Amino acid sequence: MSDFAKRAETLAAGYLPRTELQRLLDALVSTGYRCVGPRVRDGAIQYLPLDRADEFPVGVRDHQEPGSYRVEVVDDERCFAWANGPQALKPLTFAPDEVLWQFSADASDLSFTTPTRAHPMTAVIGVRGCDLAALRLQEAHFLAPGNRDPAYAARREALFLVGVDCSHPAATCFCTSTGDGPSLGSGYDLALTELDDGFLVWRGSRLADAVLATLDLPPADAQLLRRAKDQQAQAAAAQQRRMPAPQRLMGLMQRLDHAQWDDVAARCLGCGNCTAVCPSCFCSSHRAEPALDGLSGSQVRSWDSCFTLEHSTMHGRPVRADIRTRYRQWLTHKLAGWQSQYGRSGCVGCGRCITWCPVGIDLTAEAAALLETDSA
Amino acid sequence: MPRFRLAVHKFSSCDGCQLALLNLGDALLELAELVDIVHFAEAGPVNEDAPVDLALVEGSVSTAHDVERIRRIRDSARVLVAIGACATAGGLQSLRNRADGAAWLSGIYDAPQHIDFVAQVAPVSAHVKVDLELWGCPVNKQQVLAALKDVMLGVAPRRPTASLCLECKRLGRVCTLVTGSDVCMGPVTRAGCGALCQGRGRGCYACFGPAEGVNTEALGRRLHAGGLTTDDVARRFHFINANAPAFAAAGDAWRRRDGGDGT
């Protein structure tokens, strides 16, 4: 049974007419959240602060292909009729640059402090199933029992997640094959299903109770539910790309000398865009930022990538000196290594690495080519 | 402990990189408290041959006088840091290396006989040992400050080698190659500028020189497929850092390409 059908069996949905969408923003604000949601900026859907329902990308469609992203505006009222943009939750939880700790010294003493981590309570509107799946993967890493990352935790705890079932997957999407969409699985606080004239609204967590009490919505009737179910089934069926099944992906580890790695290395820029837009990639580098006199300073963590030479440099030499071995590291770790580490593949089917690769390398095609023959 | 001694030297260049120091603001005042600035002609002090802990060198080596002078400066400096595209790769003026330099000289100057050109414009590292290179046209305050701190504190200096893309994505910029809004050299260009051009919706023109471990050939193919002629692609590499080996080779390869006639 699909995620949507399961939800429809177990939960009751309220109905919010499109003309009342502003009420949702107002309810979130009155509950104490600032709102962040999708807006078009610099030619792409980005998650930015917003206050008014007319700031949503009304009528916007995205066209995604390997190495290409375009938006257009059509004549309808839908606000979420697009798949995704270059980023969603990752920058909000795993900050691109984060001060982890600070030090200061005087003649007799050396002291260490943690920066204040008071993040504003934020409702993120428009979170997709793939985004929630990636969030769970990031949490498996950053919030692992006994190894909790306080900087990540502080940002995560400030978020209220308003999911929206994905009704318009892009040509680069393949979340149906990874089991992470297009409908929302779990992990949202509040969920929306967008229909032509309004929204089904679903409770996801107790955090949503205050918002739902303010909204006081009438129940959605059976016809609306049927329409939503059809829409979500169509969205799942529309996806063209597929990721091979997890067990087959483990076979990548037996193909470390496959000629396909040379083939992809000739095309790969080595730029690391795939890892920057990947919602589950979590690699970082740390550096000291001292004051000029060296008596105080900060330790800063920044997004890094397995595609840089520096990332694999140990004792002055890069362990993975060519693009072939760096691409291989990324793909085998993401698709196979994570299964051993975190119990599932690190790929959630969002297709961002395909769209935002400037040369349009398609990891589903690379994985398929590597697994096509039995020979290593 | 004796005070740290700093010198700032200029060779063939536009002086723009020295402005990264002059524009440091409060940090410049703080620096002046901590170090003796013994030579910095653009700012005042002149004592070119004084022994120093750190010599920052701007500009390319382009004349016989430059060749003689850079050796003297190396001899008097404990640490020598080349700053900017001219000092690290030869800069814009190294375009004459792949043209008729003598014709350019007589075409521009009224009395070219007073200029003692060397045949090839060269980076500082072609003539003396360089301890650290700061790329960029021009370099920025953050780079210069980081290098000053590292040398003054005696730690191994940071040497960013990765492409601009990661810095650009950390800053939340949208890829102009993928949205089709501008040609961008970012995937093969060294990080460090703070993705300035992308902040204005523009692509990168490679002023920070080649990144390491990237694929210039693949980017050239992408730009050509996107509508640039082979000559256009060559010119994207043969620009400010035309003389940097990775960009020189990439541009040369596109000039030699079959149909390398503007098709």
Side-chain angles (χ1 to χ4, degrees), chain A residues 12-304:
Chain A
Y15 184 66
L16 178 72
R18 179 174 302 287
T19 50
E20 296 178 24
L21 184 55
Q22 182 65 41
R23 285 183 61 217
L24 173 65
L25 296 179
D26 294 344
L28 289 164
V29 169
S30 68
T31 310
Y33 298 105
R34 66 166 189 142
C35 295
V36 165
R39 302 177 70 172
V40 174
R41 185 174 291 178
D42 296 334
I45 300 276
Q46 302 193 49
Y47 285 77
L48 300 165
L50 51 72
D51 305 309
R52 299 192 320 272
D54 62 8
E55 293 173 310
F56 282 122
V58 177
V60 168
R61 300 288 186 276
D62 58 346
H63 299 282
Q64 303 194 40
E65 294 292 340
S68 173
Y69 186 98
R70 301 286 186 277
V71 288
E72 65 160 344
V73 181
V74 302
D75 185 24
D76 77 13
E77 296 296 308
R78 290 217 178 209
C79 299
F80 301 96
W82 38 269
N84 54 30
Q87 300 284 353
L89 290 175
K90 185 164 89 168
L92 301 174
T93 48
F94 171 31
D97 297 286
E98 177 107 61
V99 175
L100 298 180
W101 47 266
Q102 294 150 319
F103 78 92
S104 63
D106 57 32
S108 62
D109 199 21
L110 178 62
S111 61
F112 296 89
T113 50
T114 305
T116 317
R117 295 194 172 118
H119 302 297
M121 297 300 285
T122 301
V124 188
I125 302 157
V127 179
R128 301 303 197 188
C130 53
D131 300 327
L132 292 174
L135 183 71
R136 281 193 291 280
L137 279 163
Q138 291 239 312
E139 288 177 354
H141 174 73
F142 285 107
L143 302 180
N147 200 16
R148 199 163 179 271
D149 184 275
Y152 181 97
R155 290 182 187 277
R156 173 64 186 95
E157 283 159 11
L159 296 187
F160 179 90
L161 303 176
V162 182
V164 179
D165 288 315
C166 185
S167 54
H168 290 66
T172 43
C173 292
F174 52 96
C175 62
T176 306
S177 66
T178 64
D180 299 309
S183 300
L184 299 158
S186 61
Y188 54 85
D189 294 304
L190 195 70
L192 307 178
T193 311
E194 183 175 41
L195 298 170
D196 284 338
D197 300 321
F199 300 85
L200 306 189
V201 181
W202 312 80
R203 177 187 182 277
S205 80
R206 60 179 175 74
L207 291 179
D209 291 340
V211 180
L212 286 168
T214 307
L215 286 173
D216 192 21
L217 300 172
D221 64 33
Q223 195 194 355
L224 289 168
L225 280 165
R226 201 163 45 244
R227 219 182 286 163
K229 200 169 166 181
D230 289 347
Q231 168 180 291
Q232 292 313 114
Q234 274 174 27
Q239 295 186 13
Q240 300 299 312
R241 284 183 160 75
R242 294 193 64 75
M243 178 57 78
Q247 269 184 324
R248 282 198 73 207
L249 291 174
M250 290 306 287
L252 291 170
M253 291 301 199
Q254 273 74 56
R255 286 163 172 80
L256 299 182
D257 296 317
H258 200 294
Q260 185 67 19
W261 299 119
D262 294 308
D263 189 87
V264 70
R267 288 174 279 131
C268 174
L269 294 164
C271 64
N273 269 300
C274 47
T275 61
V277 298
C278 176
S280 67
C281 271
F282 54 67
C283 284
S284 64
S285 61
H286 296 204
R287 66 180 186 280
E289 294 273 352
L292 203 47
D293 62 8
L295 294 176
S296 62
S298 302
Q299 189 74 4
V300 182
R301 173 172 72 194
S302 296
W303 287 0
D304 200 0

Side-chain angles (χ1 to χ4, degrees), chain A residues 69-70 266 268 290 326 358, chain B residues 149 169 178-179 213 215 221-222:
Chain A
Y69 186 98
R70 301 286 186 277
C268 174
R326 293 201 293 280
Chain B
K149 290 171 186 175
K169 299 296 109 53
V178 172
T179 60
N215 190 341
R221 282 197 306 262
R222 165 67 178 80

Side-chain angles (χ1 to χ4, degrees), chain A residues 41-44 46 67-70 86-87 96-97 265-273 275-277 287-294 302-305 308-310 323 326 355-359, chain B residues 27-28 30-31 34 145 148-150 152-153 158-163 165-166 169-175 177-181 186-188 198 201 212-222:
Chain A
R41 185 174 291 178
D42 296 334
Q46 302 193 49
S68 173
Y69 186 98
R70 301 286 186 277
Q87 300 284 353
D97 297 286
R267 288 174 279 131
C268 174
L269 294 164
C271 64
N273 269 300
T275 61
V277 298
R287 66 180 186 280
E289 294 273 352
L292 203 47
D293 62 8
S302 296
W303 287 0
D304 200 0
S305 169
T308 72
L309 279 173
E310 289 155 296
I323 291 177
R326 293 201 293 280
T355 298
W356 297 98
C357 170
V359 293
Chain B
L28 183 61
E30 200 188 332
L31 184 68
L34 293 167
L145 263 184
L148 282 169
K149 290 171 186 175
D150 289 343
M152 288 166 62
L153 296 170
R158 280 156 282 185
R159 211 180 133 267
T161 60
S163 86
C165 293
L166 289 176
K169 299 296 109 53
R170 280 206 303 272
L171 291 161
R173 311 277 192 250
V174 175
C175 181
L177 275 173
V178 172
T179 60
S181 60
V188 300
Q198 291 69 35
E212 293 175 26
V214 294
N215 190 341
T216 51
E217 168 62 21
L219 182 65
R221 282 197 306 262
R222 165 67 178 80

